[in-house]
Amino acid sequence: MSTRLPSWAAGPPGADAPPTCEVPHFAPLRVRGGAQRLRRLARCRRRAMAAGLAMTAAALLATAAGPGDGDGERVRGHPVADPVPERRATTGTVTAPVRIADGATVRLLRPGDRVDVIAAEQSATGGDARVVARGARVTKVPAASATESGALIVLSVPRSTAARLAGAGATSRLAVTLW
């Protein structure tokens, strides 16, 4: 009996492979329009999202303004909170920048501290001190400049107190006491 080897085992591996050839040089492929496609896709998604939000808002308005609203009947859903009363401008608090004569005292202050502001008038016969603001809340302590006299702080005070602070700051040296 003759033993015959399979064709793949007849010679060294790769003997039946075709000879190799060199790949010719070619310029790289450049795909154009990729960035434009991404922009177009993003623009379409934004438009679709905007249209969806507009439709949702219109649907909510249509369901909220149902029949019976004028008859005193309430619309089903979450209860509406009582309307917030409008504050008059004269009773609200405002932020008032105040220049304190002693910059070292200002370095002791932090936002949230409560202070009394004292105006000391300088005259030839002596100084008269008066409290201009009581319990003012410090909202900000800006960094002091080396060229400025004193230091600036920002206080939250009622509007009438802010006017007194501005007047006292123009004619007197201001100081603070911590609570």
Side-chain angles (χ1 to χ4, degrees):
M1 178 167 181
S2 77
T3 57
R4 196 165 173 190
L5 293 173
S7 63
W8 55 269
D16 58 342
T20 61
C21 63
E22 193 171 315
V23 176
H25 179 72
F26 59 92
L29 295 176
R30 299 193 195 284
V31 179
R32 295 180 185 233
Q36 291 174 345
R37 286 185 193 140
L38 284 175
R39 283 189 206 110
R40 188 178 325 125
L41 178 65
R43 191 170 41 243
C44 290
R45 283 191 179 173
R46 279 183 281 192
R47 286 181 185 156
M49 180 67 79
L53 288 173
M55 293 295 289
T56 303
L60 287 173
L61 284 174
T63 58
D69 284 342
D71 302 330
E73 206 176 294
R74 296 197 85 145
V75 177
R76 292 185 343 182
H78 294 288
V80 177
D82 292 335
V84 178
E86 189 175 317
R87 290 188 342 190
R88 293 180 24 201
T90 58
T91 61
T93 60
V94 296
T95 55
V98 177
R99 182 160 303 280
I100 304 300
D102 186 15
T105 304
V106 172
R107 286 196 297 264
L108 299 173
L109 299 177
R110 300 287 176 259
D113 288 345
R114 293 268 186 182
V115 294
D116 288 343
V117 180
I118 301 168
E121 296 182 13
Q122 296 177 349
S123 64
T125 60
D128 186 29
R130 61 187 169 92
V131 177
V132 181
R134 292 186 189 277
R137 182 175 299 278
V138 176
T139 57
K140 196 173 194 180
V141 183
S145 172
T147 60
E148 297 174 348
S149 64
L152 188 71
I153 61 172
V154 180
L155 301 175
S156 178
V157 293
R159 191 174 295 271
S160 59
T161 305
R164 284 198 313 266
L165 281 170
T171 60
S172 309
R173 292 175 50 97
L174 300 179
V176 293
T177 58
L178 289 165
W179 273 30

